[in-house]
């Protein structure tokens, strides 16, 4: 569960970074040259294409976060059920032990 929470935090960080990039791209004029870092090279990129790529990345990250939230909720529910079952078993064992001592 801790591993999933760490992964979710990483996704939230990526989402924040991409949101900042989106804000910066939205402020640019249409004719402004935009460059994309590919390996060690800067490659000229179309502003609209860059905006579309960032928007798509944001959608993917948001869907990953939602999927992770659903998994975490499911795990929490399972954890609660297992905890309740454990308490019941402990109570039953204590009751049996008390009955055997009598």
């Amino acid at each position: 569960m801790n591993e999933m929470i760490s992964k979710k935090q990483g996704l939230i960080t990526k989402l924040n970074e991409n949101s900042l990039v989106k804000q910066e791209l939205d402020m640019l004029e249409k004719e402004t040259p935009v460059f994309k870092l590919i390996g060690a090279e800067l490659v000229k990129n179309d502003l609209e294409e860059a905006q579309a790529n960032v928007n798509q990345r944001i959608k993917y990250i948001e869907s990953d976060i939602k999927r992770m939230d659903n998994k975490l909720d499911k795990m929490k529910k399972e954890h609660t059920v297992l905890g309740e079952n454990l308490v019941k078993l402990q109570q039953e064992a204590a009751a049996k032990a008390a009955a055997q001592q009598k």
Side-chain angles (χ1 to χ4, degrees), residues 33-54:
V34 178
F35 295 89
K36 181 177 183 177
L37 183 64
I38 299 178
E41 293 184 38
L42 284 176
V43 178
K44 193 169 184 175
N45 199 3
D46 182 50
L47 176 60
E48 291 178 6
E49 184 180 339
Q51 288 173 325
N53 288 341
V54 170

Side-chain angles (χ1 to χ4, degrees), residues 61-83:
I61 294 169
E62 287 174 340
S63 69
D64 284 347
I65 290 172
K66 286 179 185 176
R67 189 170 20 88
M68 243 182 224
D69 282 340
N70 290 337
K71 281 184 181 180
L72 283 170
D73 287 343
K74 185 178 176 182
M75 288 175 78
K76 286 177 186 176
K77 287 176 185 175
E78 289 173 358
H79 186 264
T80 301
V81 169
L82 289 173

Side-chain angles (χ1 to χ4, degrees), residues 16-26 50 54 57:
N16 291 335
E17 290 171 355
N18 281 280
S19 295
L20 288 173
V21 170
K22 181 184 181 326
Q23 289 175 1
E24 292 293 323
L25 290 175
D26 288 344
V54 170
R57 241 182 282 138

